[in-house]
Amino acid sequence: MKILIAEDDFASRKFMLRFLSKYGECDVTVDGVEAVDAFTMALEADEGYDLVCLDIMMPVLGGYQALKTIRDIEKERGIPEEKRTKIIMTTALNEGRNVTKAFELGCTAYAGKPIDQKKFEHVLRKLNLIS
């Protein structure tokens, strides 16, 4: 599995990298612009990501904007919905309106911080990313 982690907080980024590395090859970015660039470069190399983990509160371009941009890129390229990258929003923002907005913009799942590893693994299984 190919994974992109977009996280501006060093400790969270390090945790996500350590946690997700056992499931596949991980790339790491520190803001939404880097995440969109990495996503686009991977698609152009025909090595798209299976999973993108996006923090909502990032500098330069936030997670919501990065999510919308990634979904727009997939639409422009004619990628059918069932083949689109799984995107999990990882954030400390757990109020209902934030969750709703993320799903309206096209996220696949939502994980509150601090990340509960067992729950996160359950979500990965549910999304058929791990067995």
Side-chain angles (χ1 to χ4, degrees):
M1 171 167 47
K2 192 164 176 193
I3 303 163
L4 175 63
I5 300 164
E7 172 63 65
D8 66 315
D9 176 70
F10 179 78
S12 296
R13 192 167 56 242
K14 195 168 175 165
F15 165 79
M16 291 297 287
L17 181 60
R18 197 173 334 109
F19 170 60
L20 291 171
S21 287
K22 61 186 168 210
Y23 300 114
E25 174 194 333
C26 296
D27 292 332
V28 180
T29 61
V30 297
D31 65 49
V33 171
E34 280 188 3
V36 171
D37 288 347
F39 181 83
T40 305
M41 288 189 320
L43 275 184
E44 286 170 359
D46 206 23
E47 297 174 359
Y49 290 100
D50 301 295
L51 173 64
V52 174
C53 295
L54 281 178
D55 182 20
I56 289 179
M57 296 185 294
M58 291 186 291
V60 188
L61 185 71
Y64 290 134
Q65 295 87 350
L67 170 62
K68 182 180 182 329
T69 304
I70 287 169
R71 291 304 188 213
D72 288 345
I73 290 167
E74 289 175 325
K75 279 184 199 143
E76 286 166 17
R77 292 176 181 243
I79 298 169
E81 232 170 283
E82 65 277 1
K83 295 209 187 270
R84 290 189 185 155
T85 300
K86 308 286 190 258
I87 299 178
I88 301 176
M89 303 307 282
T90 56
T91 182
L93 301 174
N94 291 318
E95 301 91 45
R97 63 186 165 82
N98 294 309
V99 177
T100 301
K101 182 175 181 178
F103 279 102
E104 285 171 354
L105 290 171
C107 83
T108 317
Y110 197 98
K113 289 180 187 173
I115 299 293
D116 179 315
Q117 292 183 43
K118 292 226 181 297
K119 283 184 184 174
F120 205 92
E121 286 170 341
H122 175 75
V123 169
L124 294 177
R125 270 195 279 305
K126 208 169 146 184
L127 298 174
N128 295 315
L129 292 170
I130 63 171
S131 47

